[in-house]
Amino acid sequence: MKKLIPAYLRVIIIFFAVFGAMEYFIDSGSQPAFIKFPMVSLFLLVFLFLLIAIEITVNAVDTITYHLLTEEQKTKLKEVNSVSFKESLWFKKLMKVLTKSEPIENEGQLLLDHDYDGIKELDNNLPPWWVYLFYGCIIFAVVYLVRFEVMGGDNQEMELKKEMAQAQIDIAEYKKTAPDLMDEKTVTLLTDAADLAAGKTIFTTNCVACHRADAGGAIGPNLTDNQWILGGGIKNVFHTITNGGRDGKGMIAWSKSGMKPKEIQLVASYVLSLQGSNPVNPKPSEGEVWVDENAPKTDVVAPKVDSTQVKK
């Protein structure tokens, strides 16, 4: 049998097809799969060896089979192999099905009655592939019209907006369980003793140089009163520690110095736990009194006075 593709090309094509499939389906992160997983490299080497071995075996079988043929069979085989690709019987049948073309001998039957300056026209049938494609376009247009214009289906822009909105919801839900993705909008105040102890450790390591061990203030402001330069509460304190204080004279942005969001939450919660601790010789208050606008308001009930009571 005549082989359309040489053996070396078959080996290369099959090998790289398998290689590409493995790289696509194996999750190896930023590294290629054959580098991250040594077993993949070993498999590819064994597979390449088997491909070459199969091609050598098949070629040997063909050679032996050819020598076992009679001279007449060898002659017929050479004639079959000498037929070009386009002259092969199966190719002609395929083109007949796809184009419904008539033999050139039948052109006289296809000629139309009119001609232009000697140019005549043949009444050939349209190729089946073109006709079926045209019918498919009509069916697609009807489905599209009903789906999007009659039934009001979402177009691409609306689908994108819905997917973006859902993605934001999914991100917000994920951040609730991913401490290192926490930000000032999702951070919450920690009150457990273990969390506050961990926050104290971080504070002692990084903050006492400017705020003193009792947070009474030195270079930095007093952290134990109810006045804040950049706002109090867990969200504001988290934001200040993350992004730094005032430009030129404020605290550095600790997020850029390697402090993770979870650690910032711990130290911010510890700082807020020191409110009203009254350290010795505190630094004078700075900033403004901060009141949490989202805190539940409690109505103060004035004591009732008995107007009939006689003053003495």
PDB file of all heavy atoms in Angstrom, residues 107-137:
ATOM      1  N   GLU A 107     -20.257  18.283 -21.524  1.00  0.00           N
ATOM      2  CA  GLU A 107     -20.437  19.738 -21.537  1.00  0.00           C
ATOM      3  C   GLU A 107     -21.471  20.181 -22.556  1.00  0.00           C
ATOM      4  O   GLU A 107     -22.194  21.154 -22.345  1.00  0.00           O
ATOM      5  CB  GLU A 107     -19.095  20.434 -21.824  1.00  0.00           C
ATOM      6  CG  GLU A 107     -18.200  20.551 -20.612  1.00  0.00           C
ATOM      7  CD  GLU A 107     -17.024  21.469 -20.888  1.00  0.00           C
ATOM      8  OE1 GLU A 107     -16.881  21.935 -22.045  1.00  0.00           O
ATOM      9  OE2 GLU A 107     -16.259  21.731 -19.941  1.00  0.00           O
ATOM     10  N   GLY A 108     -21.579  19.449 -23.684  1.00  0.00           N
ATOM     11  CA  GLY A 108     -22.541  19.820 -24.713  1.00  0.00           C
ATOM     12  C   GLY A 108     -23.964  19.788 -24.209  1.00  0.00           C
ATOM     13  O   GLY A 108     -24.821  20.578 -24.643  1.00  0.00           O
ATOM     14  N   GLN A 109     -24.275  18.903 -23.273  1.00  0.00           N
ATOM     15  CA  GLN A 109     -25.620  18.796 -22.725  1.00  0.00           C
ATOM     16  C   GLN A 109     -25.912  19.891 -21.706  1.00  0.00           C
ATOM     17  O   GLN A 109     -27.070  20.134 -21.358  1.00  0.00           O
ATOM     18  CB  GLN A 109     -25.806  17.417 -22.081  1.00  0.00           C
ATOM     19  CG  GLN A 109     -25.579  16.254 -23.034  1.00  0.00           C
ATOM     20  CD  GLN A 109     -25.645  14.924 -22.319  1.00  0.00           C
ATOM     21  OE1 GLN A 109     -26.028  14.856 -21.157  1.00  0.00           O
ATOM     22  NE2 GLN A 109     -25.284  13.847 -23.042  1.00  0.00           N
ATOM     23  N   LEU A 110     -24.844  20.536 -21.174  1.00  0.00           N
ATOM     24  CA  LEU A 110     -25.019  21.544 -20.128  1.00  0.00           C
ATOM     25  C   LEU A 110     -25.017  22.967 -20.664  1.00  0.00           C
ATOM     26  O   LEU A 110     -25.266  23.910 -19.906  1.00  0.00           O
ATOM     27  CB  LEU A 110     -23.898  21.408 -19.082  1.00  0.00           C
ATOM     28  CG  LEU A 110     -23.799  20.052 -18.373  1.00  0.00           C
ATOM     29  CD1 LEU A 110     -22.583  20.034 -17.464  1.00  0.00           C
ATOM     30  CD2 LEU A 110     -25.065  19.759 -17.583  1.00  0.00           C
ATOM     31  N   LEU A 111     -24.738  23.132 -21.952  1.00  0.00           N
ATOM     32  CA  LEU A 111     -24.654  24.483 -22.502  1.00  0.00           C
ATOM     33  C   LEU A 111     -26.024  25.147 -22.517  1.00  0.00           C
ATOM     34  O   LEU A 111     -27.030  24.560 -22.908  1.00  0.00           O
ATOM     35  CB  LEU A 111     -24.094  24.436 -23.922  1.00  0.00           C
ATOM     36  CG  LEU A 111     -22.581  24.256 -24.059  1.00  0.00           C
ATOM     37  CD1 LEU A 111     -22.215  24.073 -25.530  1.00  0.00           C
ATOM     38  CD2 LEU A 111     -21.850  25.439 -23.460  1.00  0.00           C
ATOM     39  N   LEU A 112     -26.061  26.408 -22.071  1.00  0.00           N
ATOM     40  CA  LEU A 112     -27.280  27.200 -22.151  1.00  0.00           C
ATOM     41  C   LEU A 112     -27.393  27.830 -23.536  1.00  0.00           C
ATOM     42  O   LEU A 112     -26.416  27.915 -24.281  1.00  0.00           O
ATOM     43  CB  LEU A 112     -27.270  28.270 -21.067  1.00  0.00           C
ATOM     44  CG  LEU A 112     -27.272  27.750 -19.617  1.00  0.00           C
ATOM     45  CD1 LEU A 112     -27.180  28.904 -18.643  1.00  0.00           C
ATOM     46  CD2 LEU A 112     -28.507  26.903 -19.338  1.00  0.00           C
ATOM     47  N   ASP A 113     -28.609  28.304 -23.875  1.00  0.00           N
ATOM     48  CA  ASP A 113     -28.855  28.810 -25.224  1.00  0.00           C
ATOM     49  C   ASP A 113     -28.212  30.160 -25.496  1.00  0.00           C
ATOM     50  O   ASP A 113     -28.061  30.549 -26.648  1.00  0.00           O
ATOM     51  CB  ASP A 113     -30.380  28.897 -25.475  1.00  0.00           C
ATOM     52  CG  ASP A 113     -31.025  27.512 -25.453  1.00  0.00           C
ATOM     53  OD1 ASP A 113     -30.303  26.539 -25.736  1.00  0.00           O
ATOM     54  OD2 ASP A 113     -32.222  27.422 -25.119  1.00  0.00           O
ATOM     55  N   HIS A 114     -27.897  30.912 -24.472  1.00  0.00           N
ATOM     56  CA  HIS A 114     -27.362  32.253 -24.706  1.00  0.00           C
ATOM     57  C   HIS A 114     -25.834  32.264 -24.591  1.00  0.00           C
ATOM     58  O   HIS A 114     -25.244  31.408 -23.938  1.00  0.00           O
ATOM     59  CB  HIS A 114     -27.957  33.238 -23.690  1.00  0.00           C
ATOM     60  CG  HIS A 114     -27.648  32.860 -22.265  1.00  0.00           C
ATOM     61  ND1 HIS A 114     -28.478  32.056 -21.524  1.00  0.00           N
ATOM     62  CD2 HIS A 114     -26.603  33.174 -21.471  1.00  0.00           C
ATOM     63  CE1 HIS A 114     -27.966  31.884 -20.318  1.00  0.00           C
ATOM     64  NE2 HIS A 114     -26.819  32.560 -20.258  1.00  0.00           N
ATOM     65  N   ASP A 115     -25.231  33.234 -25.272  1.00  0.00           N
ATOM     66  CA  ASP A 115     -23.794  33.451 -25.130  1.00  0.00           C
ATOM     67  C   ASP A 115     -23.516  34.938 -25.322  1.00  0.00           C
ATOM     68  O   ASP A 115     -24.334  35.679 -25.865  1.00  0.00           O
ATOM     69  CB  ASP A 115     -22.998  32.610 -26.134  1.00  0.00           C
ATOM     70  CG  ASP A 115     -23.335  32.972 -27.576  1.00  0.00           C
ATOM     71  OD1 ASP A 115     -23.017  34.104 -27.999  1.00  0.00           O
ATOM     72  OD2 ASP A 115     -23.950  32.126 -28.262  1.00  0.00           O
ATOM     73  N   TYR A 116     -22.363  35.367 -24.840  1.00  0.00           N
ATOM     74  CA  TYR A 116     -21.975  36.773 -24.917  1.00  0.00           C
ATOM     75  C   TYR A 116     -20.603  36.847 -25.569  1.00  0.00           C
ATOM     76  O   TYR A 116     -19.604  36.403 -24.978  1.00  0.00           O
ATOM     77  CB  TYR A 116     -21.933  37.400 -23.512  1.00  0.00           C
ATOM     78  CG  TYR A 116     -23.253  37.316 -22.787  1.00  0.00           C
ATOM     79  CD1 TYR A 116     -23.531  36.255 -21.935  1.00  0.00           C
ATOM     80  CD2 TYR A 116     -24.227  38.292 -22.982  1.00  0.00           C
ATOM     81  CE1 TYR A 116     -24.743  36.168 -21.277  1.00  0.00           C
ATOM     82  CE2 TYR A 116     -25.442  38.210 -22.311  1.00  0.00           C
ATOM     83  CZ  TYR A 116     -25.694  37.149 -21.474  1.00  0.00           C
ATOM     84  OH  TYR A 116     -26.900  37.062 -20.833  1.00  0.00           O
ATOM     85  N   ASP A 117     -20.591  37.399 -26.796  1.00  0.00           N
ATOM     86  CA  ASP A 117     -19.339  37.536 -27.529  1.00  0.00           C
ATOM     87  C   ASP A 117     -18.584  36.212 -27.611  1.00  0.00           C
ATOM     88  O   ASP A 117     -17.365  36.142 -27.436  1.00  0.00           O
ATOM     89  CB  ASP A 117     -18.443  38.601 -26.885  1.00  0.00           C
ATOM     90  CG  ASP A 117     -19.084  39.976 -26.952  1.00  0.00           C
ATOM     91  OD1 ASP A 117     -19.874  40.214 -27.883  1.00  0.00           O
ATOM     92  OD2 ASP A 117     -18.791  40.800 -26.060  1.00  0.00           O
ATOM     93  N   GLY A 118     -19.344  35.147 -27.792  1.00  0.00           N
ATOM     94  CA  GLY A 118     -18.717  33.842 -27.905  1.00  0.00           C
ATOM     95  C   GLY A 118     -18.466  33.144 -26.594  1.00  0.00           C
ATOM     96  O   GLY A 118     -17.967  32.013 -26.570  1.00  0.00           O
ATOM     97  N   ILE A 119     -18.765  33.822 -25.503  1.00  0.00           N
ATOM     98  CA  ILE A 119     -18.594  33.214 -24.172  1.00  0.00           C
ATOM     99  C   ILE A 119     -19.884  32.490 -23.809  1.00  0.00           C
ATOM    100  O   ILE A 119     -20.943  33.103 -23.718  1.00  0.00           O
ATOM    101  CB  ILE A 119     -18.254  34.287 -23.121  1.00  0.00           C
ATOM    102  CG1 ILE A 119     -16.971  35.022 -23.503  1.00  0.00           C
ATOM    103  CG2 ILE A 119     -18.109  33.641 -21.750  1.00  0.00           C
ATOM    104  CD1 ILE A 119     -16.645  36.177 -22.609  1.00  0.00           C
ATOM    105  N   LYS A 120     -19.800  31.195 -23.618  1.00  0.00           N
ATOM    106  CA  LYS A 120     -20.977  30.396 -23.311  1.00  0.00           C
ATOM    107  C   LYS A 120     -20.985  30.009 -21.830  1.00  0.00           C
ATOM    108  O   LYS A 120     -19.964  30.010 -21.161  1.00  0.00           O
ATOM    109  CB  LYS A 120     -20.996  29.150 -24.190  1.00  0.00           C
ATOM    110  CG  LYS A 120     -21.087  29.468 -25.693  1.00  0.00           C
ATOM    111  CD  LYS A 120     -21.135  28.225 -26.527  1.00  0.00           C
ATOM    112  CE  LYS A 120     -21.229  28.562 -28.014  1.00  0.00           C
ATOM    113  NZ  LYS A 120     -21.320  27.346 -28.871  1.00  0.00           N
ATOM    114  N   GLU A 121     -22.169  29.641 -21.353  1.00  0.00           N
ATOM    115  CA  GLU A 121     -22.361  29.340 -19.931  1.00  0.00           C
ATOM    116  C   GLU A 121     -22.839  27.919 -19.770  1.00  0.00           C
ATOM    117  O   GLU A 121     -23.703  27.445 -20.510  1.00  0.00           O
ATOM    118  CB  GLU A 121     -23.379  30.310 -19.325  1.00  0.00           C
ATOM    119  CG  GLU A 121     -23.610  30.101 -17.828  1.00  0.00           C
ATOM    120  CD  GLU A 121     -24.639  31.056 -17.264  1.00  0.00           C
ATOM    121  OE1 GLU A 121     -25.166  31.889 -18.041  1.00  0.00           O
ATOM    122  OE2 GLU A 121     -24.907  30.965 -16.069  1.00  0.00           O
ATOM    123  N   LEU A 122     -22.263  27.243 -18.796  1.00  0.00           N
ATOM    124  CA  LEU A 122     -22.664  25.870 -18.487  1.00  0.00           C
ATOM    125  C   LEU A 122     -23.656  25.890 -17.321  1.00  0.00           C
ATOM    126  O   LEU A 122     -23.475  26.623 -16.340  1.00  0.00           O
ATOM    127  CB  LEU A 122     -21.445  25.030 -18.106  1.00  0.00           C
ATOM    128  CG  LEU A 122     -20.399  24.799 -19.206  1.00  0.00           C
ATOM    129  CD1 LEU A 122     -19.217  24.024 -18.654  1.00  0.00           C
ATOM    130  CD2 LEU A 122     -21.009  24.073 -20.390  1.00  0.00           C
ATOM    131  N   ASP A 123     -24.667  25.057 -17.408  1.00  0.00           N
ATOM    132  CA  ASP A 123     -25.678  24.962 -16.345  1.00  0.00           C
ATOM    133  C   ASP A 123     -25.281  23.860 -15.371  1.00  0.00           C
ATOM    134  O   ASP A 123     -25.941  22.828 -15.255  1.00  0.00           O
ATOM    135  CB  ASP A 123     -27.053  24.687 -16.968  1.00  0.00           C
ATOM    136  CG  ASP A 123     -28.160  24.767 -15.927  1.00  0.00           C
ATOM    137  OD1 ASP A 123     -27.928  25.361 -14.856  1.00  0.00           O
ATOM    138  OD2 ASP A 123     -29.256  24.227 -16.192  1.00  0.00           O
ATOM    139  N   ASN A 124     -24.176  24.113 -14.660  1.00  0.00           N
ATOM    140  CA  ASN A 124     -23.708  23.139 -13.672  1.00  0.00           C
ATOM    141  C   ASN A 124     -24.538  23.219 -12.397  1.00  0.00           C
ATOM    142  O   ASN A 124     -25.086  24.266 -12.052  1.00  0.00           O
ATOM    143  CB  ASN A 124     -22.239  23.392 -13.330  1.00  0.00           C
ATOM    144  CG  ASN A 124     -21.299  22.911 -14.416  1.00  0.00           C
ATOM    145  OD1 ASN A 124     -21.473  21.823 -14.953  1.00  0.00           O
ATOM    146  ND2 ASN A 124     -20.310  23.735 -14.745  1.00  0.00           N
ATOM    147  N   ASN A 125     -24.607  22.104 -11.681  1.00  0.00           N
ATOM    148  CA  ASN A 125     -25.262  22.094 -10.372  1.00  0.00           C
ATOM    149  C   ASN A 125     -24.377  22.788  -9.348  1.00  0.00           C
ATOM    150  O   ASN A 125     -23.139  22.751  -9.434  1.00  0.00           O
ATOM    151  CB  ASN A 125     -25.523  20.651  -9.930  1.00  0.00           C
ATOM    152  CG  ASN A 125     -26.530  19.946 -10.814  1.00  0.00           C
ATOM    153  OD1 ASN A 125     -27.497  20.558 -11.274  1.00  0.00           O
ATOM    154  ND2 ASN A 125     -26.295  18.659 -11.064  1.00  0.00           N
ATOM    155  N   LEU A 126     -25.015  23.420  -8.363  1.00  0.00           N
ATOM    156  CA  LEU A 126     -24.250  24.006  -7.261  1.00  0.00           C
ATOM    157  C   LEU A 126     -23.605  22.892  -6.447  1.00  0.00           C
ATOM    158  O   LEU A 126     -24.216  21.828  -6.255  1.00  0.00           O
ATOM    159  CB  LEU A 126     -25.158  24.846  -6.363  1.00  0.00           C
ATOM    160  CG  LEU A 126     -25.702  26.145  -6.980  1.00  0.00           C
ATOM    161  CD1 LEU A 126     -26.732  26.772  -6.056  1.00  0.00           C
ATOM    162  CD2 LEU A 126     -24.577  27.122  -7.248  1.00  0.00           C
ATOM    163  N   PRO A 127     -22.389  23.103  -5.942  1.00  0.00           N
ATOM    164  CA  PRO A 127     -21.739  22.067  -5.122  1.00  0.00           C
ATOM    165  C   PRO A 127     -22.571  21.747  -3.880  1.00  0.00           C
ATOM    166  O   PRO A 127     -23.074  22.663  -3.213  1.00  0.00           O
ATOM    167  CB  PRO A 127     -20.393  22.710  -4.745  1.00  0.00           C
ATOM    168  CG  PRO A 127     -20.171  23.758  -5.780  1.00  0.00           C
ATOM    169  CD  PRO A 127     -21.524  24.267  -6.161  1.00  0.00           C
ATOM    170  N   PRO A 128     -22.758  20.477  -3.544  1.00  0.00           N
ATOM    171  CA  PRO A 128     -23.567  20.119  -2.361  1.00  0.00           C
ATOM    172  C   PRO A 128     -23.075  20.769  -1.082  1.00  0.00           C
ATOM    173  O   PRO A 128     -23.876  21.172  -0.239  1.00  0.00           O
ATOM    174  CB  PRO A 128     -23.440  18.590  -2.313  1.00  0.00           C
ATOM    175  CG  PRO A 128     -23.168  18.195  -3.724  1.00  0.00           C
ATOM    176  CD  PRO A 128     -22.326  19.296  -4.288  1.00  0.00           C
ATOM    177  N   TRP A 129     -21.752  20.868  -0.909  1.00  0.00           N
ATOM    178  CA  TRP A 129     -21.246  21.461   0.331  1.00  0.00           C
ATOM    179  C   TRP A 129     -21.686  22.909   0.447  1.00  0.00           C
ATOM    180  O   TRP A 129     -22.005  23.392   1.540  1.00  0.00           O
ATOM    181  CB  TRP A 129     -19.713  21.363   0.387  1.00  0.00           C
ATOM    182  CG  TRP A 129     -19.006  22.170  -0.666  1.00  0.00           C
ATOM    183  CD1 TRP A 129     -18.584  21.734  -1.873  1.00  0.00           C
ATOM    184  CD2 TRP A 129     -18.659  23.556  -0.604  1.00  0.00           C
ATOM    185  NE1 TRP A 129     -17.982  22.744  -2.577  1.00  0.00           N
ATOM    186  CE2 TRP A 129     -18.014  23.892  -1.816  1.00  0.00           C
ATOM    187  CE3 TRP A 129     -18.819  24.551   0.348  1.00  0.00           C
ATOM    188  CZ2 TRP A 129     -17.545  25.159  -2.105  1.00  0.00           C
ATOM    189  CZ3 TRP A 129     -18.349  25.833   0.078  1.00  0.00           C
ATOM    190  CH2 TRP A 129     -17.725  26.133  -1.136  1.00  0.00           C
ATOM    191  N   TRP A 130     -21.731  23.629  -0.689  1.00  0.00           N
ATOM    192  CA  TRP A 130     -22.160  25.028  -0.664  1.00  0.00           C
ATOM    193  C   TRP A 130     -23.656  25.125  -0.378  1.00  0.00           C
ATOM    194  O   TRP A 130     -24.103  25.979   0.386  1.00  0.00           O
ATOM    195  CB  TRP A 130     -21.839  25.678  -2.018  1.00  0.00           C
ATOM    196  CG  TRP A 130     -22.033  27.167  -2.047  1.00  0.00           C
ATOM    197  CD1 TRP A 130     -21.080  28.108  -1.831  1.00  0.00           C
ATOM    198  CD2 TRP A 130     -23.262  27.865  -2.315  1.00  0.00           C
ATOM    199  NE1 TRP A 130     -21.635  29.368  -1.938  1.00  0.00           N
ATOM    200  CE2 TRP A 130     -22.978  29.245  -2.223  1.00  0.00           C
ATOM    201  CE3 TRP A 130     -24.546  27.471  -2.612  1.00  0.00           C
ATOM    202  CZ2 TRP A 130     -23.931  30.225  -2.425  1.00  0.00           C
ATOM    203  CZ3 TRP A 130     -25.524  28.440  -2.807  1.00  0.00           C
ATOM    204  CH2 TRP A 130     -25.215  29.798  -2.721  1.00  0.00           C
ATOM    205  N   VAL A 131     -24.458  24.232  -1.002  1.00  0.00           N
ATOM    206  CA  VAL A 131     -25.910  24.242  -0.793  1.00  0.00           C
ATOM    207  C   VAL A 131     -26.242  23.955   0.668  1.00  0.00           C
ATOM    208  O   VAL A 131     -27.059  24.649   1.293  1.00  0.00           O
ATOM    209  CB  VAL A 131     -26.584  23.205  -1.717  1.00  0.00           C
ATOM    210  CG1 VAL A 131     -28.088  23.108  -1.412  1.00  0.00           C
ATOM    211  CG2 VAL A 131     -26.368  23.561  -3.179  1.00  0.00           C
ATOM    212  N   TYR A 132     -25.607  22.936   1.248  1.00  0.00           N
ATOM    213  CA  TYR A 132     -25.885  22.585   2.650  1.00  0.00           C
ATOM    214  C   TYR A 132     -25.440  23.694   3.594  1.00  0.00           C
ATOM    215  O   TYR A 132     -26.092  23.967   4.605  1.00  0.00           O
ATOM    216  CB  TYR A 132     -25.194  21.272   3.004  1.00  0.00           C
ATOM    217  CG  TYR A 132     -25.718  20.083   2.222  1.00  0.00           C
ATOM    218  CD1 TYR A 132     -24.870  19.070   1.814  1.00  0.00           C
ATOM    219  CD2 TYR A 132     -27.063  19.999   1.879  1.00  0.00           C
ATOM    220  CE1 TYR A 132     -25.353  17.980   1.080  1.00  0.00           C
ATOM    221  CE2 TYR A 132     -27.552  18.918   1.155  1.00  0.00           C
ATOM    222  CZ  TYR A 132     -26.694  17.921   0.752  1.00  0.00           C
ATOM    223  OH  TYR A 132     -27.168  16.868   0.037  1.00  0.00           O
ATOM    224  N   LEU A 133     -24.333  24.342   3.272  1.00  0.00           N
ATOM    225  CA  LEU A 133     -23.882  25.465   4.099  1.00  0.00           C
ATOM    226  C   LEU A 133     -24.883  26.618   4.034  1.00  0.00           C
ATOM    227  O   LEU A 133     -25.171  27.264   5.047  1.00  0.00           O
ATOM    228  CB  LEU A 133     -22.501  25.928   3.627  1.00  0.00           C
ATOM    229  CG  LEU A 133     -21.873  27.093   4.410  1.00  0.00           C
ATOM    230  CD1 LEU A 133     -21.665  26.711   5.863  1.00  0.00           C
ATOM    231  CD2 LEU A 133     -20.552  27.504   3.777  1.00  0.00           C
ATOM    232  N   PHE A 134     -25.438  26.856   2.850  1.00  0.00           N
ATOM    233  CA  PHE A 134     -26.441  27.912   2.682  1.00  0.00           C
ATOM    234  C   PHE A 134     -27.703  27.596   3.492  1.00  0.00           C
ATOM    235  O   PHE A 134     -28.248  28.457   4.194  1.00  0.00           O
ATOM    236  CB  PHE A 134     -26.778  28.071   1.195  1.00  0.00           C
ATOM    237  CG  PHE A 134     -27.791  29.130   0.899  1.00  0.00           C
ATOM    238  CD1 PHE A 134     -27.483  30.474   1.045  1.00  0.00           C
ATOM    239  CD2 PHE A 134     -29.070  28.783   0.501  1.00  0.00           C
ATOM    240  CE1 PHE A 134     -28.428  31.454   0.780  1.00  0.00           C
ATOM    241  CE2 PHE A 134     -30.026  29.756   0.229  1.00  0.00           C
ATOM    242  CZ  PHE A 134     -29.699  31.099   0.373  1.00  0.00           C
ATOM    243  N   TYR A 135     -28.172  26.343   3.420  1.00  0.00           N
ATOM    244  CA  TYR A 135     -29.330  25.942   4.219  1.00  0.00           C
ATOM    245  C   TYR A 135     -29.042  26.075   5.717  1.00  0.00           C
ATOM    246  O   TYR A 135     -29.906  26.492   6.497  1.00  0.00           O
ATOM    247  CB  TYR A 135     -29.711  24.494   3.895  1.00  0.00           C
ATOM    248  CG  TYR A 135     -30.274  24.296   2.505  1.00  0.00           C
ATOM    249  CD1 TYR A 135     -30.203  23.057   1.865  1.00  0.00           C
ATOM    250  CD2 TYR A 135     -30.881  25.343   1.817  1.00  0.00           C
ATOM    251  CE1 TYR A 135     -30.711  22.870   0.588  1.00  0.00           C
ATOM    252  CE2 TYR A 135     -31.389  25.176   0.533  1.00  0.00           C
ATOM    253  CZ  TYR A 135     -31.292  23.943  -0.071  1.00  0.00           C
ATOM    254  OH  TYR A 135     -31.789  23.764  -1.340  1.00  0.00           O
ATOM    255  N   GLY A 136     -27.835  25.712   6.115  1.00  0.00           N
ATOM    256  CA  GLY A 136     -27.465  25.838   7.520  1.00  0.00           C
ATOM    257  C   GLY A 136     -27.496  27.280   7.995  1.00  0.00           C
ATOM    258  O   GLY A 136     -27.911  27.575   9.115  1.00  0.00           O
ATOM    259  N   CYS A 137     -27.042  28.206   7.133  1.00  0.00           N
ATOM    260  CA  CYS A 137     -27.080  29.638   7.487  1.00  0.00           C
ATOM    261  C   CYS A 137     -28.523  30.124   7.658  1.00  0.00           C
ATOM    262  O   CYS A 137     -28.807  30.934   8.553  1.00  0.00           O
ATOM    263  CB  CYS A 137     -26.377  30.458   6.411  1.00  0.00           C
ATOM    264  SG  CYS A 137     -24.591  30.211   6.345  1.00  0.00           S
TER     265      CYS A 137
END
